[in-house]
Amino acid sequence: EETQRLLDEAYAGLPKKAGKRGTRNLRRQKRRWFLVRKIKKISKKNYGIRTHERRMQKRSQVVKDVKHAKREAPAIREREAAYQKHVLEQWTKVMFGTEENGQQMN
């Protein structure tokens, strides 16, 4: 009891504080979160730009590959046809025992 009375008396002697508390802190926090939002906005924008650039690079690479395949296709077809003809001739030789001029082998 006595301790409580003395504490009350001591606190009563303290002057009352005027004004709002934490104004500087609130100002700092407001500024901090403003900067955080600004930084995130910039990074999100840059992320979208980089994503777009990667997508376009991949798309242009696909187009280049298709054009290259179209350019090379006739030569590949000719090589494949020659190879198939060669394989067929070899198979005919083995199966029917014919020479190249069409005569039967003994």
Side-chain angles (χ1 to χ4, degrees):
E1 291 179 9
E2 184 65 23
T3 306
Q4 187 61 39
R5 187 184 64 76
L6 288 172
L7 283 173
D8 291 341
E9 186 179 326
Y11 282 123
L14 292 174
K16 298 290 182 188
K17 293 183 179 178
K20 186 178 174 187
R21 300 290 167 261
T23 304
R24 287 186 193 148
N25 182 40
L26 290 175
R27 206 174 290 150
R28 276 194 303 271
Q29 291 298 323
K30 181 179 178 183
R31 174 84 179 135
R32 176 175 170 254
W33 285 109
F34 172 78
L35 289 175
V36 167
R37 286 191 300 271
K38 187 176 179 182
I39 290 167
K40 284 186 176 184
K41 180 181 178 183
I42 291 170
S43 68
K44 188 174 181 181
K45 178 181 177 185
N46 289 338
Y47 176 76
I49 290 171
R50 286 192 307 267
T51 303
H52 174 74
E53 287 173 352
R54 279 194 307 271
R55 187 180 298 128
M56 291 298 113
Q57 192 174 23
K58 187 176 177 182
R59 190 177 292 175
S60 65
Q61 184 61 43
V62 168
V63 169
K64 286 177 188 174
D65 293 344
V66 168
K67 286 185 177 184
H68 180 263
K70 282 184 175 182
R71 261 196 321 271
E72 298 296 319
I76 292 172
R77 280 196 301 271
E78 288 175 13
R79 275 200 317 260
E80 286 294 318
Y83 173 74
Q84 288 177 4
K85 183 178 178 186
H86 175 73
V87 169
L88 183 61
E89 288 172 356
Q90 294 299 319
W91 179 80
T92 307
K93 244 188 231 183
V94 170
M95 294 303 289
F96 300 113
T98 59
E99 293 180 4
E100 292 195 13
N101 59 8
Q103 301 294 322
Q104 286 284 336
M105 292 176 55
N106 294 337

